[in-house]
Amino acid sequence: MPEITRLLVANRGEIARRVVRTCDLLGVETVAVFSEPDRRAPFVDEATYAVALGGTTSAESYLDAAKVLDAARRSGADAVHPGYGFLSENAEFAEAVVAAGLVWVGPTPSSMRAMSLKVEAKRIAAASGVPLVPGAELDVDASDDALLVAAAGVGYPVLVKASAGGGGKGMRIVRTAGGLLEAVAGARREASSSFGDPTVFLERYLERSRHIEVQVFGDTHGNVVHLFERECSIQRRHQKIVEESPSPGATAVTLEAMYAASLSLARAIGYVGAGTVEFLVSGDEGAQEFFFLEMNTRLQVEHPVTEMVTGLDLVAWQLAVAGGQALPLVQEAITRKGHAVEVRLYAEDPARDFLPGSGVIADFSVRDYRTRLRVDSGVEDGSLVTPYYDPMLAKVIALGRTRTHAAQLLAGSLRTSRVTGVTTNLMSLVSILESQPFLDGDTTTAFLDEHPEVLEPTLPVEVRRLHLAACAVALLDPALADGPVGSGGVPARAARGWRNVGGVPEVVTVRYRDGARDVVAALARAWGREGPAYWICADVDPILVAAQTIPTDARFERLDGVRLESAPRWPRTELRPARLEVDGIRRALRCGVSGDRVEVDLDRWISSFTVVEPWARSEHGAGSGGPSTPVPGTVTHVAVAVGDVVAVGAALVVLEAMKMEHTIRADLDGVVAEVHVSVGQSVDAHTVVVTLTSGE
């Protein structure tokens, strides 16, 4: 087989950068392909060559096999690496790559077909002696009664799962018969949209189980090895957000049995390349059982966990095997050392059902210590996060001597990291890593349901007070006003709310997030005989703020001796070193002001404040006019028509955004007066989808 000299990476974001990094070390040239929204993405510039695919959505670009193959031909590539997602588990694409005379960096098409449909994969696993979770297959045209009978046979709670694909797409938990039909319909829509196959099946949902997977590798010479396990139990929307190795919950006996089962399955299908066999593990100690879930015939998102504990480069292994070489190591020579933990950093709001976000990243700074801490990111300062693709920004991985050490390293890195411009799950990840249940190893698939407090971490009261103080001075001190400085050091433009009449307080109101709440604070500054004094009122009614009627009895707290040195104002929000003094005590912090936005990084917490303009519409009025879209996206289903009578919570419209489905529901009992959207329509955030009138 010819040596790989120029590799096309048929993917985007952090995995494209990850593959390019190894190729650079090996002296292999790389070709990036990109859609229009990704034209200025980091992975495009880091590859040796780049070819535009055109289009905006995944279907118009990264999922268009003909375009990708044409890019390989035009760029002179001799091999294709699919990364994960998109076309990575598409057997037809793999065959087309080989037919074009290119090297396919992945398993054989026959292996991919054997495992790509979960129903067929279960049959093969059972024949290989791998235990299965009780379940039921469903015909695409099965009647409602047949669906209900099948679910009753499996036993509730059941999990509706897409037969094709992965990543939590086309998956729903159903606890009672009343929710089954809607869940099946939604899973079929999502599976059809994501994988082009609406087939779904039912599986018993195991409460408080662990999701543990085994990394396997095979070559064309018949060798198959495992590279130990990863536990990936902490998930949101059935997508992993925390992964680690070794597993904190599986017994040694269970692990050895899982290794053997994984190798048996890989050998049964003649597996070549990187693959992962996934299991659910239930019970403790001697009563522990494991059940086959699926096999992913690709490199996993969480592969850096395995790389950290083994010291191996799995992408280099992929290239070697694709080039016809034998596996670099035999089973006995593969060892692991220490404990690795990985978290996925997303542009999303965990406190609001993981609502994905979009926008421009103003500041992306995540600490990377190389040997102990690793950052695989798809973004940098100024990167655009679009609504068209998965909202993952980066993976951050720590290697520690022990599990506790790794968690501490990772939490410390995240606490000192800065990602501004978009809402992220950063502090939620910190909260998970620092929580006692996590440190105790009580990490089942029910973790987030049992510990919802980690999704909306709140600042300690004293820390919030200091953040508000820094914000107040940054906004109200004339000496820190943005714009040029005039004669005598006096600012040429006054700070917001500045008055030249002593004793008249200057007041500015700001909005910020505190856990799941949107909070409005009033900040004031006035001159007295002893100089300026500041007051903060940390929680005022946003309606009163909008109407400029802050009550005189509002609980303002006076802060004495407040001073902020070197608070910066730049064209964009960028945190720079500053010093805050309150009551004679000085603290170092990082602060930035840009327009109406203030960022404060102090005491290992980061706050974002937005100025509320006078007479601004309050949150109570936002979204009026009917149920609206939370994010930009594409309408995939309209469940109602004009004249329909609906109850509160009824599904109205289904929106697909950032590879997730969002169901927009009725916010009152009423009648559908107008439907404003249609299937296939692209809509912006806050678009009203349906007008409802009161049933009265």
Side-chain angles (χ1 to χ4, degrees), residues 225-382:
V225 298
H226 73 79
L227 288 84
F228 307 104
E229 84 288 349
R230 299 182 290 258
E231 178 163 330
C232 318
S233 302
I234 300 180
Q235 304 177 8
R236 59 96 167 106
R237 294 184 176 229
H238 309 293
Q239 287 185 314
K240 307 157 188 173
I241 56 173
V242 181
E243 300 103 348
E244 58 182 307
S245 183
S247 163
T251 67
V253 172
T254 298
L255 289 176
E256 288 300 326
M258 289 169 63
Y259 298 156
S262 300
L263 294 175
S264 175
L265 180 59
R267 291 190 182 103
I269 60 174
Y271 197 77
V272 174
T276 306
V277 185
E278 305 202 357
F279 301 92
L280 280 180
V281 177
S282 64
D284 297 307
E285 301 303 328
Q288 201 164 74
E289 298 178 285
F290 69 94
F291 304 95
F292 172 76
L293 273 179
E294 61 183 336
M295 182 177 187
N296 291 304
T297 54
R298 54 175 167 80
L299 195 67
Q300 290 279 82
V301 177
E302 58 272 19
H303 76 274
V305 171
T306 297
E307 292 184 324
M308 292 291 269
V309 294
T310 63
L312 303 174
D313 185 330
L314 298 194
V315 174
W317 275 42
Q318 284 187 297
L319 297 178
V321 167
Q325 299 177 34
L327 291 174
L329 296 174
V330 296
Q331 187 68 70
E332 294 72 22
I334 301 171
T335 60
R336 63 178 168 181
K337 183 178 181 181
H339 196 105
V341 182
E342 171 183 293
V343 294
R344 302 189 192 184
L345 181 63
Y346 283 99
E348 66 182 15
D349 191 342
R352 295 182 176 175
D353 196 26
F354 306 100
L355 185 69
S358 57
V360 177
I361 296 177
D363 185 4
F364 183 83
S365 176
V366 183
R367 294 174 67 179
D368 182 350
Y369 291 137
R370 301 298 178 188
T371 57
R372 289 289 180 180
L373 275 164
R374 167 175 163 180
V375 180
D376 284 14
S377 71
V379 298
E380 58 188 13
D381 292 359

Side-chain angles (χ1 to χ4, degrees), residues 166-240:
K169 305 298 186 301
M171 193 179 294
R172 304 285 192 282
I173 297 174
V174 183
R175 299 190 178 279
T176 64
L180 179 69
L181 300 182
E182 182 181 333
V184 170
R188 282 174 170 165
R189 280 193 309 272
E190 195 170 28
S192 180
S193 172
S194 298
F195 316 119
D197 183 350
T199 305
V200 299
F201 64 97
L202 302 181
E203 193 172 76
R204 175 79 58 79
Y205 181 65
L206 301 177
E207 305 275 9
R208 299 203 91 252
S209 57
R210 292 178 184 269
H211 188 136
I212 301 175
E213 60 192 28
V214 177
Q215 176 74 60
V216 296
F217 235 104
D219 62 24
T220 56
H221 304 277
N223 302 306
V224 182
V225 298
H226 73 79
L227 288 84
F228 307 104
E229 84 288 349
R230 299 182 290 258
E231 178 163 330
C232 318
S233 302
I234 300 180
Q235 304 177 8
R236 59 96 167 106
R237 294 184 176 229
H238 309 293
Q239 287 185 314
K240 307 157 188 173

Side-chain angles (χ1 to χ4, degrees), residues 522 535-541 544 549-557:
W535 290 265
I536 59 174
C537 182
D539 198 347
V540 297
D541 191 322
L544 298 178
T549 54
I550 299 175
T552 56
D553 61 348
R555 299 177 62 183
F556 279 85
E557 175 190 2

Side-chain angles (χ1 to χ4, degrees), residues 18 28 141 157 191 307 314 424-425 429 438 498 551 586 626:
R18 163 72 190 90
V28 175
D141 57 354
E307 292 184 324
L314 298 194
T424 74
N425 65 334
L429 295 174
F438 177 83
W498 186 83
R586 178 179 290 190

Side-chain angles (χ1 to χ4, degrees), residues 543-687:
I543 292 180
L544 298 178
V545 170
Q548 291 186 310
T549 54
I550 299 175
T552 56
D553 61 348
R555 299 177 62 183
F556 279 85
E557 175 190 2
R558 176 168 174 148
L559 302 175
D560 293 319
V562 179
R563 184 179 179 186
L564 183 66
E565 298 178 9
S566 304
R569 289 173 182 261
W570 309 108
R572 62 185 176 89
T573 305
E574 182 178 347
L575 303 183
R576 299 278 181 100
R579 293 176 296 279
L580 175 70
E581 185 174 322
V582 178
D583 298 329
I585 299 176
R586 178 179 290 190
R587 295 170 176 81
L589 74 154
R590 298 177 70 87
C591 181
V593 184
S594 176
D596 291 334
R597 190 176 178 88
V598 181
E599 302 275 352
V600 176
D601 180 356
L602 173 63
D603 280 358
R604 304 176 75 207
W605 289 88
I606 297 177
S607 295
S608 297
F609 302 94
T610 303
V611 173
V612 180
E613 294 292 350
W615 308 107
R617 184 179 67 176
S618 74
E619 283 295 306
H620 294 264
S624 60
S628 60
T629 56
V631 291
T634 302
V635 176
T636 59
H637 180 63
V638 177
V640 295
V642 172
D644 286 354
V645 178
V646 297
V648 171
L652 303 175
V653 170
V654 178
L655 183 77
E656 184 181 278
M658 289 186 163
K659 297 174 70 177
M660 298 182 188
E661 268 201 350
H662 305 272
T663 301
I664 302 166
R665 300 183 181 274
D667 54 1
L668 53 82
D669 296 334
V671 178
V672 178
E674 293 181 81
V675 177
H676 303 288
V677 297
S678 58
V679 173
Q681 180 180 343
S682 295
V683 293
D684 293 327
H686 313 303
T687 298

Side-chain angles (χ1 to χ4, degrees), residues 518-529:
D518 272 324
V519 183
V520 174
L523 313 174
R525 179 179 189 269
W527 281 86
R529 291 183 177 181

